[in-house]
Amino acid sequence: MTGKIRVQDKFWKYYREVVRKDMIPYQWKVLNDEIAIKIERERNDDSIPNEKSHAIENFKIAAGLKTGNHYGWVFQDSDVYKWLEAVAYSLNEYMDEDLKALADSVVDLIAAAQEDDGYLGTYFTIEAPERKLKRLGESHELYCAGHFMEAAVAYYEAVKSEKVLTVACKLADYIGRHFGEEEGQIHGCDGHEEIEIGLAKLYRATGEAKYLELSKYFLYIRGTDPEFFLRQKEEEKESTPLIAGLEKFPLSYCQNHKPLLEQDTAEGHAVRLVYMCTAMADVAALTNDEKLFAACKKIWRNIVDKRMYITGGIGSTVIGESFTFDYDLPNDTMYCETCASVGLVFFAGRMLENELRSEYGDVMERALYNTVLSGMALDGKHFFYVNPLEAIPESSAKDPAKSHVKCVRPEWLGCACCPPNLARLLASLEKYIYVQREGTIFANLFMNCDGEFTVHGNPVFIQQETDYPWGSVKNPYAEEWQGNIKFKINCKKETEFTLGIRIPNWANEYVVRVNGKEEAVEKADGIVSITKVFQNDIIEVSLDMKIETWNACLYVRNDIGKVAVSRGPIVYCMEEADNGKYLHLLSIGKHAEFTYHFDSDLLGGVGVIKTKGYAHMLPPQKELPLYQKQREVVETREKELMLIPYYAWANRGENEMQVWIRQER
Amino acid sequence: MTGKIRVQDKFWKYYREVVRKDMIPYQWKVLNDEIAIKIERERNDDSIPNEKSHAIENFKIAAGLKTGNHYGWVFQDSDVYKWLEAVAYSLNEYMDEDLKALADSVVDLIAAAQEDDGYLGTYFTIEAPERKLKRLGESHELYCAGHFMEAAVAYYEAVKSEKVLTVACKLADYIGRHFGEEEGQIHGCDGHEEIEIGLAKLYRATGEAKYLELSKYFLYIRGTDPEFFLRQKEEEKESTPLIAGLEKFPLSYCQNHKPLLEQDTAEGHAVRLVYMCTAMADVAALTNDEKLFAACKKIWRNIVDKRMYITGGIGSTVIGESFTFDYDLPNDTMYCETCASVGLVFFAGRMLENELRSEYGDVMERALYNTVLSGMALDGKHFFYVNPLEAIPESSAKDPAKSHVKCVRPEWLGCACCPPNLARLLASLEKYIYVQREGTIFANLFMNCDGEFTVHGNPVFIQQETDYPWGSVKNPYAEEWQGNIKFKINCKKETEFTLGIRIPNWANEYVVRVNGKEEAVEKADGIVSITKVFQNDIIEVSLDMKIETWNACLYVRNDIGKVAVSRGPIVYCMEEADNGKYLHLLSIGKHAEFTYHFDSDLLGGVGVIKTKGYAHMLPPQKELPLYQKQREVVETREKELMLIPYYAWANRGENEMQVWIRQER
């Protein structure tokens, strides 16, 4: 329950309009192969299909409307489903009848591609009906089904399309017949988690307990029979792999190494892991399953305390797009897939459904304003799959181990999971602003928005006014404290409830004012709570939005002797465009002073940080000896460094970028 | 012409005895599968054969003495050839009749496995006679032939075995008939250079110009038809690959991207590149080919000025075991294959055949005392393929991109190229000590040895006495200058010649004494030359062997803010065994003072360096926040750091190691 929220925020409106006006039409053209773009492989791997999308064509062929072969990944369908889901959220905000008509036609097409028994999956319908559900480690059949269920529920909620829900239920029932504990059913799950999320949503939309049960089944069976995928593969060993190379990854790649409740570290493919955790937290909340929630918390702690980049990115290696081990956070070879941070936002959101703690919002905010936003160019038409914390064009071009580290966002990607994932999150951002639990309304994210809630049967309106994330509007109480959030509360009838407000972990200090009067309110679990009888009230929170320098924990080898800079929720970086080439020669003083200004002409309007730093001077001769005795001292000069928000990098052509900056002592 | 040299040196005698007494018998057992050892894959790659060697068995099957199938790499034969070559050098130094009898039997076996037309290659003889010479990009047929020729010449020179030379010539003649400019011949070369070196040696041994011509042919054809390997592959496209995965590498992987004379950077597989350069420099010297020598120098400059580790390691990435680009020298993901540094010694040696410059010896010395020696454990029974400059056991175990970075030397390797390569170099080290050109004897390497030369027809004896590499014997002239080399020259008749002595680039100062009297002698090309009429003379050089700290050039991103420590020719490192875990928390002062002592009980006797450094202190609580605001300052305390020679690391179990050390400012 989050109430009915309308986002009015200038910062987010921009991105949401980009999604609606640019990304959705653009993606539609891509899905139909109607646009001449360069589809890049996300890394040097010839097996990645990159000629075209063909996704809509696959559905037409499966529906019998055309003849031909399937093209693309075995999970190509999910691109269409994520597009539909983004459309649904977009229609929620702004009803565009043409877009609705187009989406209806896509629903019709999907329905036509569904088989009579409920099966839905164009690759297997077209190319390999005999292989259905026979190689679940690679097939992504339930993964695609889960994405369709998410899209179906969103579209149903947006436009009340019964048809889409019917298709989803028919598919879910097909799956319910084929999987389960009973004899003759498959006792297993999909290699890529997602069906668990989709089924839980379908349960919420339909109230059908069987879908929740099935979601829970898929969660709990994972890891109980680690050889399941391998056995399936051996049983049909004549057949070619559905995705070559997956067999070389360890069992933990798809979280199949041990039962769910025994997993206490984040292992394997990062997107899979966070999707699994999202479903775990969701089902835990829906079923009050304390053991399941405790398992979520163990993995959450491991990610947040030991395996997450300061940008909210996760996944330390391209090999298997995976987590590696505690404190292993290389800045130049990492994966930090956009989808993984989108999934981390989902996970954090579901954790809040279980318990209100500020840290879930803190992590959500970190992922959202940094790695998630970095996934898209300012034009909404170029996308990162991988979000490095350090990028050097020559390394990306010439070091084969860094082929995944792109320095400019491609127009589209061979595996196109990230752009539509980003679109569906941005278009549904209102879902994450508030969490309502009984008599508490918890303000989790800060942006200008109107919210309509029902508390004890009474309508409660909350208008949020804020200068987030820049804090550039003057704070009326204290100029240096620029993070200001005002909640204008309006109740038709006097209503007693608690307004909880997250105090972000970057804020050293905060002030709370109730109707203009400062009140001392202690934080509990990072939250300030005002409990009173509300009618027409104004609650204000001012946050200390000072520029901060951060050290990584001493165990993080790659960040030793370095600092990262942030202001409010935004992590900053240096770019070559502002600081020249060879960013590694620059350093920041230990007691550096910073200045901040908002530059409305730069990168669509961003806050800019400057500081006096240092630069090792390259001697005039072009060729330097490779090794020099240290007595031949390097000259270091003062140099003004300029930092821009991390999310806005790589919007000015190919250039170097660096988040962690060496610190002079 | 290097004269007849006998090594008496304590430091090197140890290694040469290890080769003779341990490695050669050990390798013989391995080649015969007569020893229960764990053969490790050099990285996580299931396609690497690691059950057994089977190398001798392959020859028996090819010779018709046994039945069965070939096992192992398509180039498995080369392990036997390199073993034979090491045996030959060892017999040169110490004639062991049993070993000679064994080697003779191996020659007989090889001869029996040779086909009537001269073809030699057990894989193709046994498994695929129809594929001979049909897929040279993968087959290593000429690579193996080259290694056999090197072995044959060495064995012929050691024991005057005509039989081995006959087999080699028959093989070379077979190759000569099949390759060349004429119609019906193959216009191409092998994907892995080596035949070029073997043919040049065969020319030196037999005086047959056709072998030199053929070597030159293979050099010059490389890169003139970049599609050659691909075309061969397509022509027999039904067949399975001989080595899967090679097709994914670029043309430069085997230096096939452009003609030889146009290559001005070191590209592709590092071992292939240095083998190619070795042959280029060899043929340039033998044929006075100035263009070819100029091409060698371009590549030499690129390696030495921009692509070589301070340890003399080369090859910056595991992917293709390759060079990457200028100044890209990561310390923890590099390759630095032992074979590549062995090849760099060969290349440097051949450059000296063309011109006398100290830098060739400097690089040879750097590679030899550091990466080459690191390739072998002190017991002579464990070997590194990859020689990292930074190793962390947890990273190697859990980061799939570092599976090649072993922290303990394996007993044997799936691809066993390195151990025998190391053995043949150590056993033939006397070849690199002196270079004689007309009336000049150039002392290139420093070790205790006796040399017998002929100058202007007169016999000249030079006894070298030195305390290299430790300099622990007191210098009679200056205590702090411990690098002392004494040349005792004895001529039966008065003979005028020039004694050139390399002044290593690490020595800031040097003193020359002629018969006890200091003389001011300027360096030219890094060489001091004493020209006089010699009879009974003593020439002494004292080198300033101070401990040095080194900075890498500012372009090297991975070493910025770090120093490496050396003393004389030895590069030092920190090991966990001496300094505790988390070496990245340690740093060295900018004006650090060092102490040195020789510890005869440590690691077989090594020079040890100590200095007062600093350590970031881990707070007592076990769990640290992942990111902390910088104001929460890290505590740093003084700590004594202990450094050991790099080559001796990983002899005390699995532990962390680091060459480049952060420098406090």
Side-chain angles (χ1 to χ4, degrees):
Chain A
M1 270 297 296
T2 57
K4 175 137 184 68
I5 318 292
R6 291 199 74 81
V7 175
Q8 315 286 4
D9 193 82
K10 192 181 157 209
F11 183 87
W12 288 110
K13 270 271 179 195
Y14 172 78
Y15 289 100
R16 286 158 69 93
E17 291 205 354
V18 161
V19 169
R20 183 162 59 81
K21 293 183 182 165
D22 297 310
M23 279 182 82
I24 288 174
Y26 177 82
Q27 287 179 30
W28 177 249
K29 285 185 190 155
V30 173
L31 296 174
N32 283 279
D33 309 314
E34 284 173 355
I35 189 168
I37 51 165
K38 187 176 171 213
I39 301 180
E40 287 186 34
R41 294 193 166 111
E42 53 271 23
R43 58 186 175 272
N44 283 354
D45 179 348
D46 291 347
S47 71
I48 298 172
N50 72 335
E51 288 162 47
K52 56 191 172 184
S53 162
H54 208 258
I56 293 293
E57 201 73 3
N58 290 337
F59 276 98
K60 289 181 181 163
I61 297 164
L65 304 172
K66 284 209 170 179
T67 55
N69 285 101
H70 181 276
Y71 178 86
W73 291 104
V74 73
F75 52 82
Q76 205 83 343
D77 295 356
S78 63
D79 291 354
V80 176
Y81 303 149
K82 281 192 272 185
W83 176 86
L84 180 63
E85 190 183 343
V87 167
Y89 299 137
S90 170
L91 294 174
N92 247 345
E93 194 190 20
Y94 177 87
M95 180 51 67
D96 173 333
E97 290 297 338
D98 291 344
L99 185 58
K100 179 181 175 297
L102 184 64
D104 280 340
S105 76
V106 170
V107 171
D108 291 343
L109 180 61
I110 294 168
Q114 187 171 39
E115 298 190 26
D116 291 341
D117 62 358
Y119 185 86
L120 180 60
T122 68
Y123 174 79
F124 294 91
T125 297
I126 299 170
E127 301 292 341
E130 74 289 356
R131 299 184 74 182
K132 284 178 192 166
L133 310 182
K134 294 246 172 79
R135 201 180 275 201
L136 290 156
E138 300 168 24
S139 77
H140 288 70
E141 286 162 289
L142 305 187
Y143 167 86
C144 288
H147 272 303
F148 177 64
M149 290 171 199
E150 286 204 78
V153 170
Y155 197 61
Y156 168 75
E157 287 176 350
V159 306
K160 302 292 160 250
S161 161
E162 290 291 342
K163 182 167 187 176
V164 77
L165 209 58
T166 306
V167 176
C169 291
K170 198 172 155 189
L171 172 58
D173 293 339
Y174 170 90
I175 295 168
R177 287 195 304 280
H178 284 80
F179 289 85
E181 302 289 1
E182 284 172 38
E183 219 185 295
Q185 289 184 311
I186 301 167
H187 312 313
C189 55
D190 192 291
H192 198 317
E193 298 88 339
E194 166 62 27
I195 184 73
E196 301 84 353
I197 298 173
L199 284 165
K201 284 196 173 174
L202 199 59
Y203 159 71
R204 286 182 204 261
T206 63
E208 289 277 7
K210 64 182 174 182
Y211 299 140
L212 181 59
E213 276 307 304
L214 191 55
S215 174
K216 199 170 160 176
Y217 170 79
F218 283 127
L219 281 176
Y220 273 99
I221 198 160
R222 184 168 299 271
T224 58
D225 176 12
E227 302 300 307
F228 170 70
F229 297 132
L230 186 65
R231 214 165 49 238
Q232 269 210 325
K233 196 180 159 202
E234 280 172 358
E235 279 165 12
E236 67 148 19
K237 64 172 154 261
E238 299 310 312
S239 302
T240 49
L242 295 168
I243 299 178
L246 285 195
E247 70 285 353
K248 69 172 186 255
F249 296 122
L251 293 170
S252 57
Y253 173 73
C254 46
Q255 297 73 48
N256 193 39
H257 53 303
K258 47 171 113 161
L260 201 68
L261 300 183
E262 294 171 22
Q263 297 188 22
D264 43 19
T265 51
E267 300 297 336
H269 187 274
V271 175
R272 293 173 193 234
L273 184 277
V274 284
Y275 280 16
M276 178 182 87
C277 290
T278 298
M280 283 167 72
D282 208 4
V283 170
L286 288 167
T287 62
N288 291 314
D289 185 336
E290 284 178 18
K291 277 189 191 161
L292 193 55
F293 182 58
C296 287
K297 284 190 86 159
K298 277 193 295 181
I299 301 179
W300 173 269
R301 283 261 65 80
N302 183 247
I303 295 174
V304 172
D305 295 345
K306 296 176 183 173
R307 301 191 179 194
M308 179 182 69
Y309 286 87
I310 196 162
T311 52
I314 48 175
S316 293
T317 179
V318 58
I319 300 176
E321 308 179 329
S322 285
F323 291 97
T324 53
F325 59 95
D326 291 349
Y327 305 111
D328 182 43
L329 297 163
N331 294 309
D332 58 343
T333 55
M334 69 303 94
Y335 212 60
C336 290
E337 184 178 338
T338 305
C339 279
S341 289
V342 169
L344 186 57
V345 170
F346 296 155
F347 182 22
R350 300 302 198 287
M351 290 302 274
L352 282 170
E353 300 288 330
N354 286 278
E355 64 172 353
L356 297 181
R357 293 178 65 88
S358 67
E359 73 162 310
Y360 301 125
D362 290 344
V363 169
M364 186 188 285
E365 186 177 85
R366 185 186 290 283
L368 191 60
Y369 282 93
N370 301 291
T371 297
V372 170
L373 271 191
S374 161
M376 180 170 72
L378 296 173
D379 67 3
K381 290 175 184 163
H382 295 79
F383 307 94
F384 272 143
Y385 199 105
V386 169
N387 297 279
L389 282 82
E390 183 181 315
I392 294 144
E394 189 174 23
S395 295
S396 296
K398 296 180 183 171
D399 178 352
K402 290 183 186 147
S403 70
H404 62 296
V405 185
K406 312 259 183 211
C407 293
V408 168
R409 293 171 184 84
E411 293 186 302
W412 200 251
L413 295 146
C415 173
C417 52
C418 296
N421 223 348
L422 185 57
R424 70 180 181 135
L425 173 60
L426 294 179
S428 62
L429 207 55
E430 66 276 8
K431 292 183 187 295
Y432 303 94
I433 302 172
Y434 290 101
V435 181
Q436 188 181 350
R437 290 178 76 185
E438 298 143 19
T440 296
I441 296 171
F442 171 61
N444 179 55
L445 293 184
F446 305 126
M447 63 189 78
N448 293 286
C449 62
D450 297 334
E452 195 182 327
F453 304 84
T454 304
V455 183
H456 308 313
N458 298 337
V460 172
F461 298 90
I462 304 180
Q463 191 189 349
Q464 198 187 126
E465 278 182 17
T466 179
D467 44 22
Y468 231 68
W470 307 119
S472 51
V473 177
K474 268 201 180 157
N475 182 318
Y477 302 101
E479 291 208 10
E480 71 276 19
W481 281 25
Q482 295 192 330
N484 204 37
I485 310 141
K486 184 186 283 187
F487 299 89
K488 292 183 180 168
I489 296 153
N490 198 281
C491 311
K492 291 239 164 104
K493 279 201 256 176
E494 285 194 337
T495 309
E496 183 174 347
F497 67 93
T498 299
L499 178 68
I501 302 164
R502 178 174 64 91
I503 303 300
N505 65 348
W506 46 260
N508 294 302
E509 293 179 69
Y510 63 93
V511 172
V512 178
R513 286 183 188 78
V514 178
N515 294 319
K517 197 176 149 243
E518 191 169 321
E519 286 195 10
V521 191
E522 289 294 307
K523 282 189 288 188
D525 292 335
I527 297 168
V528 293
S529 296
I530 294 100
T531 304
K532 69 186 284 290
V533 177
F534 287 94
Q535 191 158 21
N536 292 306
D537 296 281
I538 291 178
I539 310 292
E540 288 166 286
V541 169
S542 294
L543 302 170
D544 169 14
M545 213 180 234
K546 273 212 287 281
I547 295 164
E548 291 287 352
T549 52
W550 298 81
N551 283 142
C553 157
L554 289 176
Y555 294 116
V556 182
R557 289 185 169 81
N558 297 85
D559 298 336
I560 197 86
K562 295 178 184 172
V563 290
V565 178
S566 74
R567 183 174 176 281
I570 310 274
V571 174
Y572 278 73
C573 70
M574 294 194 295
E575 234 189 344
E576 182 182 339
D578 306 307
N579 299 284
K581 213 178 160 173
Y582 305 120
L583 295 177
H584 68 285
L585 296 179
L586 307 180
S587 60
I588 214 163
K590 182 138 190 161
H591 304 287
E593 297 201 351
F594 297 93
T595 62
Y596 173 83
H597 73 281
F598 186 82
D599 185 341
S600 54
D601 294 330
L602 185 69
L603 296 163
V606 291
V608 171
I609 292 174
K610 290 189 176 176
T611 186
K612 273 216 183 70
Y614 304 93
H616 286 323
M617 302 309 292
L618 287 166
Q621 76 270 30
K622 240 186 124 188
E623 309 271 299
L624 299 173
L626 188 50
Y627 303 107
Q628 273 186 294
K629 284 171 193 160
Q630 210 233 308
R631 64 193 65 159
E632 293 138 38
V633 174
V634 170
E635 192 194 346
T636 304
R637 287 198 200 152
E638 280 200 355
K639 179 184 162 83
E640 187 179 70
L641 309 183
M642 171 167 159
L643 291 88
I644 60 158
Y646 170 73
Y647 76 78
W649 87 278
N651 276 291
R652 293 175 290 177
E654 193 177 75
N655 75 162
E656 291 185 17
M657 183 278 295
Q658 202 173 302
V659 170
W660 289 96
I661 305 171
R662 259 185 329 115
Q663 188 168 48
E664 282 296 324
R665 282 168 189 282
Chain B
M1 272 301 295
T2 57
K4 174 135 187 70
I5 318 292
R6 292 199 74 82
V7 175
Q8 315 285 5
D9 193 80
K10 192 179 159 209
F11 182 87
W12 288 111
K13 270 270 180 194
Y14 173 77
Y15 289 101
R16 288 158 69 93
E17 291 206 352
V18 161
V19 169
R20 183 162 59 82
K21 293 186 182 163
D22 296 310
M23 280 183 82
I24 288 173
Y26 178 82
Q27 287 179 32
W28 177 249
K29 285 185 192 156
V30 172
L31 295 174
N32 282 280
D33 309 314
E34 284 173 355
I35 187 167
I37 51 165
K38 188 177 170 215
I39 301 179
E40 287 187 34
R41 294 192 166 109
E42 53 271 23
R43 57 185 175 273
N44 284 353
D45 179 347
D46 291 347
S47 71
I48 298 171
N50 72 334
E51 289 162 45
K52 56 189 172 185
S53 162
H54 207 258
I56 293 292
E57 201 73 2
N58 290 337
F59 276 97
K60 288 181 182 164
I61 297 164
L65 304 172
K66 283 209 171 182
T67 56
N69 285 101
H70 181 275
Y71 179 86
W73 293 104
V74 73
F75 51 83
Q76 206 82 345
D77 295 356
S78 62
D79 292 354
V80 176
Y81 303 149
K82 280 191 273 187
W83 176 85
L84 180 63
E85 190 182 343
V87 168
Y89 298 138
S90 169
L91 294 175
N92 246 344
E93 194 188 20
Y94 177 87
M95 181 50 67
D96 172 333
E97 290 296 338
D98 291 344
L99 184 59
K100 178 181 177 297
L102 184 64
D104 280 340
S105 77
V106 170
V107 171
D108 291 343
L109 180 61
I110 294 168
Q114 186 171 41
E115 299 190 25
D116 291 342
D117 62 358
Y119 185 87
L120 180 60
T122 67
Y123 175 79
F124 293 91
T125 297
I126 299 169
E127 300 293 340
E130 73 289 358
R131 299 185 72 183
K132 283 178 194 166
L133 309 182
K134 293 249 174 75
R135 202 180 277 200
L136 289 157
E138 301 168 23
S139 76
H140 289 69
E141 285 162 287
L142 305 188
Y143 166 86
C144 288
H147 271 305
F148 177 65
M149 290 171 198
E150 287 205 78
V153 170
Y155 197 61
Y156 168 74
E157 288 177 349
V159 305
K160 303 291 160 251
S161 159
E162 291 290 341
K163 181 167 188 177
V164 77
L165 209 59
T166 304
V167 176
C169 292
K170 195 170 157 191
L171 171 58
D173 293 338
Y174 169 90
I175 295 167
R177 285 196 304 280
H178 285 80
F179 290 85
E181 301 290 359
E182 284 172 38
E183 222 187 291
Q185 288 184 309
I186 301 167
H187 312 314
C189 56
D190 193 291
H192 198 317
E193 299 87 339
E194 166 60 28
I195 184 74
E196 301 84 354
I197 298 172
L199 284 165
K201 284 195 173 175
L202 200 57
Y203 159 71
R204 287 181 204 261
T206 63
E208 288 277 6
K210 63 183 175 181
Y211 300 140
L212 181 60
E213 276 308 303
L214 192 54
S215 173
K216 199 170 162 180
Y217 170 79
F218 284 127
L219 281 175
Y220 273 99
I221 199 162
R222 184 168 299 272
T224 57
D225 176 13
E227 302 300 307
F228 170 71
F229 297 132
L230 186 65
R231 215 167 47 240
Q232 269 210 324
K233 195 178 161 204
E234 279 171 359
E235 279 164 12
E236 67 147 19
K237 63 173 153 255
E238 299 310 313
S239 302
T240 49
L242 295 168
I243 299 179
L246 283 196
E247 70 286 354
K248 69 173 188 260
F249 296 122
L251 293 171
S252 56
Y253 173 73
C254 45
Q255 297 75 45
N256 192 38
H257 54 304
K258 48 171 110 162
L260 202 68
L261 299 183
E262 294 170 24
Q263 298 188 23
D264 43 20
T265 51
E267 300 298 334
H269 187 273
V271 176
R272 293 173 194 233
L273 184 279
V274 284
Y275 280 16
M276 178 182 86
C277 289
T278 298
M280 282 166 73
D282 207 5
V283 171
L286 287 167
T287 62
N288 290 313
D289 184 336
E290 284 179 17
K291 279 188 189 163
L292 193 56
F293 181 59
C296 288
K297 284 191 89 161
K298 278 193 295 180
I299 302 178
W300 173 269
R301 285 261 65 80
N302 182 246
I303 295 174
V304 171
D305 294 347
K306 297 177 182 172
R307 302 190 178 194
M308 178 183 70
Y309 287 86
I310 196 162
T311 51
I314 49 175
S316 292
T317 180
V318 57
I319 300 177
E321 308 179 328
S322 285
F323 290 98
T324 53
F325 59 96
D326 290 348
Y327 306 112
D328 182 44
L329 297 164
N331 294 308
D332 58 343
T333 54
M334 71 301 94
Y335 212 59
C336 291
E337 184 178 337
T338 306
C339 280
S341 289
V342 169
L344 186 58
V345 170
F346 295 156
F347 182 21
R350 300 303 197 285
M351 290 302 274
L352 282 170
E353 300 289 329
N354 286 278
E355 64 173 353
L356 297 181
R357 292 179 65 88
S358 67
E359 72 162 312
Y360 302 124
D362 289 344
V363 169
M364 185 188 285
E365 185 178 85
R366 184 184 291 283
L368 191 61
Y369 282 94
N370 300 290
T371 297
V372 170
L373 271 191
S374 161
M376 178 170 73
L378 296 173
D379 67 3
K381 291 176 183 164
H382 296 78
F383 307 95
F384 272 143
Y385 198 104
V386 168
N387 297 279
L389 281 83
E390 183 180 314
I392 294 145
E394 189 174 22
S395 294
S396 296
K398 296 180 182 171
D399 177 351
K402 290 183 187 147
S403 70
H404 61 296
V405 186
K406 312 258 182 211
C407 292
V408 168
R409 294 172 183 82
E411 292 185 305
W412 199 250
L413 296 145
C415 174
C417 52
C418 295
N421 223 346
L422 185 57
R424 69 179 179 134
L425 173 60
L426 294 179
S428 62
L429 206 55
E430 66 277 8
K431 291 183 185 296
Y432 303 95
I433 302 172
Y434 290 101
V435 182
Q436 188 182 351
R437 290 179 74 184
E438 297 142 19
T440 296
I441 295 171
F442 172 60
N444 178 55
L445 295 183
F446 305 126
M447 63 189 77
N448 293 286
C449 62
D450 297 334
E452 193 180 328
F453 304 85
T454 305
V455 183
H456 307 312
N458 297 337
V460 172
F461 298 90
I462 304 181
Q463 190 188 351
Q464 199 186 126
E465 278 182 17
T466 179
D467 43 22
Y468 232 67
W470 307 118
S472 52
V473 177
K474 269 202 182 158
N475 181 319
Y477 301 102
E479 291 211 7
E480 70 275 22
W481 282 25
Q482 294 193 330
N484 204 37
I485 310 142
K486 185 186 282 186
F487 298 89
K488 292 184 184 168
I489 297 154
N490 198 282
C491 310
K492 291 235 163 109
K493 279 201 255 178
E494 286 195 339
T495 308
E496 183 172 350
F497 66 92
T498 300
L499 178 68
I501 302 164
R502 179 174 64 91
I503 304 299
N505 63 348
W506 47 259
N508 295 301
E509 293 178 69
Y510 62 93
V511 172
V512 178
R513 285 183 190 79
V514 178
N515 294 321
K517 195 175 151 244
E518 191 168 320
E519 286 197 11
V521 191
E522 289 295 306
K523 281 190 286 189
D525 294 333
I527 297 168
V528 293
S529 296
I530 294 100
T531 304
K532 68 187 282 289
V533 177
F534 288 93
Q535 189 157 25
N536 291 307
D537 296 281
I538 291 177
I539 310 292
E540 288 167 286
V541 169
S542 294
L543 302 170
D544 168 16
M545 212 181 233
K546 271 212 285 285
I547 295 163
E548 290 288 351
T549 53
W550 298 82
N551 283 142
C553 158
L554 290 176
Y555 294 115
V556 182
R557 288 185 170 82
N558 297 85
D559 299 337
I560 197 87
K562 296 179 184 170
V563 290
V565 178
S566 74
R567 184 173 176 282
I570 309 273
V571 174
Y572 278 73
C573 70
M574 294 194 295
E575 232 188 346
E576 182 182 340
D578 306 307
N579 298 283
K581 213 179 161 172
Y582 305 120
L583 294 179
H584 69 283
L585 297 179
L586 307 181
S587 60
I588 215 163
K590 183 139 188 156
H591 303 286
E593 297 200 353
F594 296 93
T595 62
Y596 172 84
H597 73 280
F598 186 82
D599 184 341
S600 54
D601 294 331
L602 185 68
L603 295 162
V606 291
V608 171
I609 292 174
K610 290 188 177 177
T611 184
K612 272 217 183 67
Y614 304 93
H616 287 323
M617 302 307 293
L618 286 167
Q621 76 269 29
K622 236 185 125 187
E623 309 271 298
L624 300 173
L626 187 51
Y627 302 107
Q628 274 187 296
K629 284 171 192 159
Q630 209 234 309
R631 64 193 65 159
E632 293 139 36
V633 174
V634 170
E635 193 195 344
T636 303
R637 287 198 200 151
E638 280 199 354
K639 179 183 162 83
E640 186 179 70
L641 308 183
M642 172 167 158
L643 291 88
I644 60 158
Y646 170 74
Y647 76 79
W649 87 279
N651 276 293
R652 292 173 291 177
E654 193 177 73
N655 76 161
E656 291 186 16
M657 183 278 296
Q658 200 173 302
V659 170
W660 288 96
I661 305 172
R662 259 185 329 114
Q663 189 170 47
E664 283 295 325
R665 283 171 187 283

